[in-house]
Amino acid sequence: MKMNQRERAWLLAASLLLGACGTPVVGSDSGSDVVMDTRPTCTADQMVCNSTCVSVQTDRNHCGACGTVCAGGQVCRAGSCEIECPSGQARCSGACVTLSGDRSNCGACGTMCPAGQVCSAGACATTCASGLTDCMGSC
């Protein structure tokens, strides 16, 4: 179906009006009746935020949804803001811990040493390993 001059002028005016309102610009392909969408094409794990494809699973400025910004010291993992632990520490229950000396997380998150034992080199023991000192139950 061919468009007449008046229909093309109306389509152009509507496109310009919608473009001014922040709607993606729509145009025609060299005078044909084919309408082309100019929005970016994102991969399956991305979505359009501010006219750009982003991964809401890993993007600190769009974590889980467009515009959800992670606070300082946090990263976006699986669409949720989480604290970033320094090298040598692990994240256990939302806190950064040293698994080699934390009595409540000895060797792994949630592994608690029994009363009277310390966490030494990632294992529960009655005394600290050589070269380490017991400091209130942690080596």
Side-chain angles (χ1 to χ4, degrees):
M1 176 176 131
K2 285 262 185 197
M3 290 177 30
N4 65 35
Q5 198 77 358
R6 186 177 196 188
E7 291 170 326
R8 284 186 192 183
W10 183 86
L11 180 60
L12 179 60
S15 296
L16 292 173
L17 180 61
L18 289 174
C21 296
T23 304
V25 177
V26 178
S28 66
D29 181 58
S30 64
S32 74
D33 293 337
V34 178
V35 177
M36 297 178 356
D37 186 350
T38 59
R39 290 179 292 185
T41 302
C42 302
T43 60
D45 64 332
Q46 295 179 324
M47 67 185 311
V48 179
C49 296
N50 298 329
S51 302
T52 304
C53 293
V54 297
S55 172
V56 294
Q57 297 298 307
T58 58
D59 191 302
R60 285 189 74 252
N61 296 312
H62 305 285
C63 190
C66 292
T68 302
V69 179
C70 294
Q74 292 185 330
V75 294
C76 183
R77 283 194 186 97
S80 296
C81 295
E82 299 177 350
I83 58 171
E84 179 71 38
C85 294
S87 180
Q89 292 190 340
R91 190 180 63 258
C92 297
S93 301
C96 294
V97 298
T98 304
L99 298 176
S100 62
D102 187 318
R103 284 191 72 239
S104 298
N105 301 285
C106 190
C109 292
T111 302
M112 183 172 271
C113 293
Q117 290 192 355
V118 294
C119 181
S120 181
C124 295
T126 54
T127 61
C128 294
S130 178
L132 299 175
T133 304
D134 183 348
C135 185
M136 297 189 308
S138 294
C139 295

